[in-house]
């Protein structure tokens, strides 16, 4: 059965801290993995990862995929209160099927 | 407690037909959201409903699309006179409280609509 597990489920840090969010998956015919940030109603796309070992960066956020061990991490450095959100990972498989993890709720305190 | 359920998982319609997508939220959840994912794109918000009420439909196309969440039964996303451009994955999510208030949200497995 297809499965996506994110950890931790919630995390509280202070501004300036660095956080690492984890996503492990088991899906058939894996194609790529997507990370989203969700604050209010719609998730905001962050990264799409298709190849192992290639880090993608966007400002203070970076992410990497390990297709052998079936996981991905999302790093946020020098966190700010505006980073507070739920971070979702979703492997894409078969023909554009996606399965969402439960998300990690990040709270960044001033 | 079963997760968010969507059916059918795959739906094929010919141009001009109607598509009905169903979403049963998690038990105890009264807030339902519909999203569309076009091929190779991210999720796009469509509509947010609470029982019997449409709260925010700012992401819904103005024509042919409608949504409801009746007092009893699943939420329905209805697409009339489908066109090829409607082919996409449609995801439903539910939450027990307002997202803006910090509530968690859970996604269903999606319905893949193919218009031929």
């Amino acid at each position: 059965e297809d499965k996506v597990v994110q950890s931790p489920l919630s995390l509280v840090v202070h501004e300036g801290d660095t956080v690492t969010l984890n996503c492990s998956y088991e899906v058939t015919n894996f194609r790529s993995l997507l990370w989203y940030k969700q604050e209010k109603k719609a998730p905001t796309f962050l990264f799409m990862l298709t190849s192992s070992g290639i880090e993608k960066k966007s400002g203070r956020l970076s992410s990497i995929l390990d297709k052998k061990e079936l996981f991905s991490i999302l790093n946020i450095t020098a966190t700010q209160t505006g980073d507070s959100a739920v971070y979702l990972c979703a492997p894409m498989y078969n023909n554009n099927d996606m399965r969402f993890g439960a998300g990690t709720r990040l709270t960044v305190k001033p | 407690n079963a997760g968010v359920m969507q059916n059918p998982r795959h739906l094929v319609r010919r141009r001009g037909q109607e598509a009905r997508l169903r979403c049963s939220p998690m038990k105890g959840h009264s807030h339902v959201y519909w999203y569309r994912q076009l091929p190779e794109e991210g999720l796009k918000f469509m509509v947010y409903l609470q029982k019997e009420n449409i709260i925010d439909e700012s992401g819904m196309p103005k024509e042919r699309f409608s949504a409801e969440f009746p007092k009893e039964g699943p939420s329905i996303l209805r697409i009339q006179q489908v066109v090829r451009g409607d082919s996409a994955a449609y995801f439903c999510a539910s939450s027990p409280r307002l997202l803006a208030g910090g509530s968690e949200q859970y996604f269903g497995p999606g319905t893949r609509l193919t218009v031929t």
Side-chain angles (χ1 to χ4, degrees):
Chain A
E1 185 185 321
D2 299 328
K3 190 162 67 170
V4 184
V5 178
Q6 289 190 245
S7 63
L9 288 182
S10 66
L11 187 56
V12 180
V13 300
H14 289 280
E15 273 191 317
D17 288 348
T18 293
V19 298
T20 298
L21 310 183
N22 303 290
C23 173
S24 66
Y25 61 90
E26 287 180 36
V27 297
T28 52
N29 300 321
F30 174 85
R31 290 184 55 191
S32 55
L33 187 136
L34 289 80
W35 281 97
Y36 288 90
K37 175 183 182 183
Q38 183 167 33
E39 292 170 275
K40 292 198 178 165
K41 58 190 179 190
T44 304
F45 173 79
L46 294 176
F47 299 108
M48 176 183 275
L49 304 155
T50 305
S51 302
S52 267
I54 298 174
E55 186 182 49
K56 290 213 170 179
K57 285 180 75 75
S58 175
R60 296 176 293 102
L61 276 66
S62 63
S63 185
I64 198 161
L65 174 68
D66 185 328
K67 290 204 287 190
K68 185 178 174 188
E69 300 296 331
L70 307 183
F71 77 89
S72 175
I73 59 171
L74 175 69
N75 279 319
I76 310 175
T77 59
T79 51
Q80 303 170 355
T81 54
D83 295 329
S84 296
V86 174
Y87 291 83
L88 296 161
C89 78
M92 186 182 287
Y93 56 103
N94 292 333
N95 183 22
N96 280 325
D97 286 331
M98 280 169 60
R99 184 166 293 273
F100 284 87
T104 292
R105 178 173 292 282
L106 174 66
T107 303
V108 182
K109 293 189 169 180
Chain B
N1 189 1
V4 177
M5 293 195 290
Q6 289 187 249
N7 67 80
R9 292 294 312 276
H10 299 276
L11 182 61
V12 180
R13 284 287 177 264
R14 283 201 277 274
R15 274 182 300 174
Q17 290 184 319
E18 179 180 286
R20 279 184 179 240
L21 288 62
R22 292 175 188 76
C23 169
S24 296
M26 285 182 73
K27 189 176 179 182
H29 289 197
S30 57
H31 303 253
V32 165
Y33 314 77
W34 285 94
Y35 300 87
R36 175 165 63 173
Q37 188 212 9
L38 294 169
E40 307 302 331
E41 293 185 21
L43 284 178
K44 304 286 184 189
F45 167 78
M46 298 182 76
V47 61
Y48 161 41
L49 310 104
Q50 279 184 268
K51 278 290 186 183
E52 299 184 271
N53 291 304
I54 296 174
I55 308 300
D56 181 349
E57 56 182 346
S58 57
M60 287 274 270
K62 293 284 184 279
E63 295 173 352
R64 302 187 297 107
F65 284 72
S66 62
E68 62 178 16
F69 188 16
K71 190 175 177 182
E72 303 289 338
S75 175
I76 308 281
L77 179 68
R78 185 177 172 213
I79 312 172
Q80 295 177 290
Q81 299 172 327
V82 295
V83 300
R84 286 229 171 98
D86 297 332
S87 295
Y90 292 83
F91 287 90
C92 164
S94 73
S95 66
R97 296 172 298 280
L98 283 172
L99 280 187
S103 175
E104 62 276 22
Q105 185 188 52
Y106 297 88
F107 281 84
T111 292
R112 176 158 303 286
L113 173 65
T114 303
V115 179
T116 60

